[in-house]
Amino acid sequence: MFSSVSAQEGNEVDVSTTPGSEYLLLDKSLQFRITDAVNSLYNFDFATAERGFRVMGLQYPDHPLPDFLLGLSTWWKIAVDIENKKYDATFISQMDKAIAKAEKIYKKNPENKEAAFFLSGAYGFQGRLYSERKSWTKATFAGKSAMKYLNLSKGDEELNPELLLGDALFNYFSVWIPENYPLLKPVLAFFPKGDKKLGLKQLEDVAQNAFYARIEAQYFLFRLYASEEKQPFKALEITDYLHSKYPNNPYFHRSHARHLYSVGRMVEANETSLEILKRIDESWTGYESNSGRYAAFFVAQYNDRIGNKKEAKKYYLKTLSYGEESESQESGYYLYSLMALGKMANEDKDKKKAKDYFNKVKKYAKRKHPAHKEARDYIKKNKL
């Protein structure tokens, strides 16, 4: 699906600015010059990426693109460990700067689609963070602003596929949100009805053809294919490409391990997960307890399936340790590690320890969670 080299990364690159275009987004010469910086961003070499974006900021001090890319760099520091709030203020400030510069351009020329694109994108990113922080009033305001400017940025074929990312996400999520979050229906009441099928098609287009929006589109695609669309092999194909292209990105690394595990490629999932755990021990940028929770569980499951109970127990305990470090006790990996350890303890005739593990499942899992019911049933059946 995804070629290993994008059009911008090949040997034959058009380095001329698009004739007659006033938009920096379409400047092929600039794209050529900053390809290394953009690739460094996604490969978690933030120092190199941000140095390139700051140089761009000196060249184009009144344009929102440099601040937007600096904000995108900060977003990826957040995304790998979404509960960590230490980058929030920096991120909001960078997107605010992009918004202020885009607003100046837009006020001078309300027909400027590029300005509307940056306003939509910056507000959209802020809305994503506010949603993660459950700041619903701020998220709603940012979301409405993003949608306003998204509608104003439509209709310029020259700017596709960069502009198409917002359109694609709207088409998909304007249907998905009411289906999954009925309370948010009023937010979407004043906007046109979306089309999930069209949204997926548009995301594929952006993922293949955009420069700035390409990796973001692929990020959304593999998540949607894995969870909402129930197409794990498509999700794996994308994460296989992303991990090979950006091997030092811990989010792509752990997502690749997860999708190998989900399609039953256990040997590869185990090898990939062991590499993640090694990088955590070596303090690689972005490799932390959240990634460790994923990786330790996959290694534990592999050893459990081949009958190596000692190693399985070791890595289930590591999963618990990483889960407690990242305060993720309600996650499935944590809960099912408790279940596995409880069953091992029961097999070893240590009923007290087994009961302790299953009681912890009941403590951390919501009552409707399948693990809660399984724990209750296991305690009753085994008279713990």
Side-chain angles (χ1 to χ4, degrees):
M1 184 192 303
F2 300 102
S3 60
S4 60
V5 180
S6 74
Q8 290 78 15
E9 297 161 31
N11 293 323
E12 297 180 9
V13 181
D14 177 8
V15 296
S16 62
T17 304
T18 303
S21 174
E22 61 182 294
Y23 296 146
L24 195 60
L25 276 174
L26 300 180
D27 187 333
K28 299 295 183 185
S29 174
L30 176 63
Q31 291 179 12
F32 180 71
R33 294 198 307 274
I34 69 165
T35 292
D36 285 345
V38 172
N39 284 338
S40 294
L41 185 167
Y42 289 111
N43 209 30
F44 269 57
D45 180 359
F46 296 118
T48 299
E50 291 168 8
R51 185 163 55 247
F53 301 151
R54 289 192 180 96
V55 169
M56 192 200 314
L58 295 174
Q59 295 172 314
Y60 307 99
D62 299 321
H63 200 281
L65 179 57
D67 291 300
F68 185 84
L69 288 173
L70 284 167
L72 184 60
S73 181
T74 305
W75 171 258
W76 276 94
K77 296 174 189 177
I78 296 170
V80 75
D81 183 14
I82 202 69
E83 298 302 322
N84 192 329
K85 300 178 182 180
K86 70 179 179 180
Y87 298 111
D88 285 18
T90 300
F91 171 75
I92 295 297
S93 174
Q94 288 164 332
M95 288 302 178
D96 278 343
K97 287 177 184 176
I99 288 167
K101 291 177 182 179
E103 280 179 340
K104 282 186 179 179
I105 297 170
Y106 185 78
K107 284 175 182 176
K108 287 181 181 177
N109 178 15
E111 300 298 316
N112 190 301
K113 303 287 187 180
E114 184 179 55
F117 166 81
F118 282 108
L119 287 165
S120 175
Y123 277 121
F125 267 105
Q126 287 186 339
R128 284 169 71 182
L129 182 62
Y130 289 137
S131 296
E132 291 289 349
R133 301 296 177 246
K134 297 181 171 53
S135 298
W136 300 117
T137 301
K138 289 182 177 180
T140 300
F141 173 78
K144 285 182 176 179
S145 297
M147 289 305 307
K148 169 189 171 183
Y149 290 109
L150 173 62
N151 285 328
L152 292 169
S153 70
K154 288 180 180 178
D156 194 321
E157 291 297 322
E158 187 185 26
L159 267 175
N160 282 343
E162 303 298 343
L163 291 183
L164 197 57
L165 176 61
D167 204 13
L169 294 174
F170 170 75
N171 269 319
Y172 192 94
F173 285 107
S174 63
V175 178
W176 181 85
I177 288 171
E179 289 175 352
N180 293 273
Y181 295 94
L183 291 175
L184 296 179
K185 279 185 181 180
V187 176
L188 296 166
F190 300 103
F191 297 104
K193 184 173 174 58
D195 181 334
K196 282 174 72 174
K197 187 175 180 181
L198 175 60
L200 276 178
K201 182 177 181 299
Q202 290 171 324
L203 276 175
E204 292 280 7
D205 187 5
V206 179
Q208 288 281 1
N209 300 308
F211 178 79
Y212 296 103
R214 184 169 57 96
I215 304 304
E216 297 301 315
Q218 292 177 25
Y219 161 85
F220 280 107
L221 270 176
F222 80 69
R223 293 187 62 174
L224 290 176
Y225 279 133
S227 57
E228 305 305 321
E229 299 298 315
K230 311 302 180 190
Q231 298 187 57
F233 286 98
K234 281 193 173 183
L236 175 60
E237 184 179 9
I238 299 170
T239 56
D240 186 45
Y241 164 74
L242 288 172
H243 176 52
S244 64
K245 178 69 184 164
Y246 306 108
N248 299 336
N249 184 312
Y251 191 94
F252 296 156
H253 201 169
R254 77 181 187 221
S255 297
H256 188 230
R258 181 180 184 179
H259 293 128
L260 286 167
Y261 171 81
S262 71
V263 302
R265 288 165 59 175
M266 296 298 293
V267 173
E268 292 164 275
N270 177 63
E271 291 170 352
T272 302
S273 298
L274 286 171
E275 178 62 27
I276 291 170
L277 295 173
K278 181 173 179 284
R279 291 185 179 190
I280 293 171
D281 290 341
E282 294 173 353
S283 300
W284 284 45
T285 301
Y287 284 82
E288 38 58 74
S289 57
N290 206 20
S291 296
R293 180 168 51 89
Y294 285 66
F297 182 79
F298 300 145
V299 175
Q301 285 272 286
Y302 170 76
N303 283 285
D304 211 345
R305 293 189 187 190
I306 65 172
N308 190 342
K309 297 297 181 182
K310 183 178 178 182
E311 283 295 286
K313 182 178 179 180
K314 170 185 170 182
Y315 284 99
Y316 282 130
L317 288 170
K318 273 184 175 287
T319 306
L320 298 188
S321 179
Y322 283 126
E324 287 155 10
E325 186 180 338
S326 60
E327 297 182 353
S328 305
Q329 288 93 331
E330 293 183 2
S331 73
Y333 298 132
Y334 187 89
L335 296 174
Y336 285 108
S337 292
L338 287 172
M339 298 276 291
L341 289 165
K343 290 175 184 177
M344 288 179 179
N346 191 44
E347 289 168 5
D348 292 338
K349 311 299 182 187
D350 191 339
K351 289 189 174 290
K352 182 181 181 303
K353 184 178 283 187
K355 187 174 182 178
D356 286 344
Y357 279 126
F358 285 107
N359 279 337
K360 278 190 175 182
V361 174
K362 290 168 63 181
K363 175 183 176 182
Y364 291 118
K366 293 180 180 177
R367 188 165 181 83
K368 291 183 179 180
H369 195 288
H372 197 290
K373 183 180 185 307
E374 189 177 344
R376 295 198 313 269
D377 291 346
Y378 194 94
I379 289 171
K380 184 177 180 181
K381 182 179 178 181
N382 292 275
K383 299 178 182 178
L384 297 179

